[in-house]
Amino acid sequence: MAAEREASDVIWRNARLATMVENGKNPYGILDGYDLIVRGEKIQAVVPRGAVDDKGLTAIDVAGRLITPGLIDCHTHLVFGGNRANEWEQRLNGVSYAELSQQGGGINATVRATRLESEQQLLAISEQRLKALISEGVTTLEIKSGYGLDLASEEKQLRVAQRLGERYPVDISPTLLSAHTTPPEYRDNPDTYIDLICQTIMPQLWEKGLFESVDVFCESVGFSLAQSERLFNAAARLQIPVRGHVEQMSNIGGSELVARHGGLSVDHIEYLDEAGIAALSQQSTVAVLLPGAFYFLKEKRVPPVDLLRRYRVPMAVASDFNPGTSPFASLRLAMNMACVQFGLTVEEAWAGVTRHAAQALNRQNTHGQLAAGFYADFIVWEAEQPVDIVYELGRNLVSQRVFRGEVSHDSATLTGGQP
Ligand code: NIG
Ligand code: FE
């Protein structure tokens, strides 16, 4: 029986579809000999070839190329002023992080630079970084605040994230990370700064619709468990989902705290232990692995990937793009690093930038899979199999990038929407 059709439907045919639909027996949810039917912004159906009569419809033949869902980068700090290249050079020359901090380096160096930029300037520099991610196949990304650390500067960062989403064919999930570090004006009063976030920054920016979730750097060098809990309780009162930078340098129980609050994700987690993993496994919290920061900081301790597998905690992979610990505007590089450094299988790395990354952003019913009802955000690759994308870095393998059903980048014609 022929599937139902509409005159405006677009049929993508002759593809190898890596649907990323979970199916224990079929790696990557591969479908050969299927057509992808797009109606408006969504995937209408994935049907065996020929099941839809394409007479009069737009049909696009991709000549056997691979199609996957668009890549989802679920953890970035993409909007910031300045860079910390000089700091890195000093570190390579033997200056310790503590010394650099005393000289005003670290996160607060980026806070100073970000506060100085106008919204327009911040937009212009952030655009260049976003274009790099978009052109390698990213269709959804998370962007955190956390380099403003006062009401006006946090708002400025989040407005830039919002404007990026309006100007470019990409879906942006903004996160409030005002609890990234204590700003200089509160240096001796981190609790008072947490009060400012709970009573002023979070409610006012939430009211303006500028973010979707609240994050915290819960760490011996960040905020304590008690401070993080106060933040999460304030978020709960406004029904805001939470997530956390946790267990990056030590284990102070941040993951259990996030799990207790039904959080969306725990990120970094090199020092996560079995009790924390057991707590996560009771929730749908995603474990987000950030191998770029691990590499750049020359860390030695890898996240407990085997235990995460055993407890069936979904793992995502993200770039953590930021000026201090992961200055890499490439999610494909993060996928490669997750495989080489953390021992993920290539299939796990792919789930980590599609289905599981969608879950970390609370978009699991609409993003990250090629299936009926999901957004038509997908990439036609100059490749035949998913491993090719993770294996060969340094060459752009995007043949066509489709966002919400529209071709936004076409390597053959170099036409289409920006960029
Ligand atoms: O995700 N861990 C804390 N935050 C960032 C680093 C921020 C910075 O150094 O500017 C991270 O690694
Ligand atoms: Fe981060």
Side-chain angles (χ1 to χ4, degrees), residues 48-222:
R49 186 164 306 151
V52 165
D53 171 14
D54 65 358
K55 217 176 292 148
L57 301 187
T58 306
I60 301 171
D61 187 321
V62 300
R65 291 185 178 88
L66 175 73
I67 298 186
T68 71
L71 307 182
I72 301 174
D73 194 346
C74 67
H75 180 142
T76 88
H77 307 246
L78 177 126
V79 176
F80 57 86
N83 71 36
R84 308 226 294 274
N86 291 338
E87 202 176 282
W88 181 57
E89 187 170 7
Q90 284 177 270
R91 260 167 43 205
L92 289 174
N93 291 341
V95 184
S96 76
Y97 194 78
E99 285 169 281
L100 287 166
S101 285
Q102 264 156 20
Q103 295 160 18
I107 296 174
N108 267 317
T110 302
V111 171
R112 276 195 305 282
T114 305
R115 285 177 173 180
L116 285 173
E117 301 288 1
S118 69
E119 187 175 312
Q120 203 53 37
Q121 288 163 330
L122 206 49
L123 179 66
I125 46 185
S126 303
E127 267 176 351
Q128 300 313 316
R129 303 177 188 130
L130 178 64
K131 282 183 189 176
L133 288 172
I134 286 180
S135 71
E136 73 161 7
V138 170
T139 49
T140 300
L141 78 153
E142 187 256 17
I143 298 180
K144 299 176 194 297
S145 71
Y147 290 123
L149 310 189
D150 60 37
L151 178 62
S153 310
E154 289 285 288
E155 175 161 357
K156 178 175 68 180
Q157 260 194 292
L158 291 170
R159 286 214 181 277
V160 168
Q162 183 182 50
R163 286 172 70 185
L164 289 171
E166 289 161 2
R167 289 167 83 117
Y168 287 85
V170 68
D171 182 18
I172 289 178
S173 171
T175 297
L176 186 80
L177 177 60
S178 302
H180 196 188
T181 193
T182 305
E185 58 276 20
Y186 286 90
R187 205 182 62 197
D188 301 319
N189 298 300
D191 279 305
T192 314
Y193 178 58
I194 291 288
D195 289 341
L196 175 76
I197 301 173
C198 294
Q199 291 162 15
T200 307
I201 301 179
M202 178 163 61
Q204 291 200 19
L205 301 185
W206 179 248
E207 185 68 30
K208 292 182 177 176
L210 284 171
F211 62 91
E212 296 180 4
S213 66
V214 165
D215 198 347
V216 59
F217 186 24
C218 178
E219 186 60 66
S220 43
V221 298

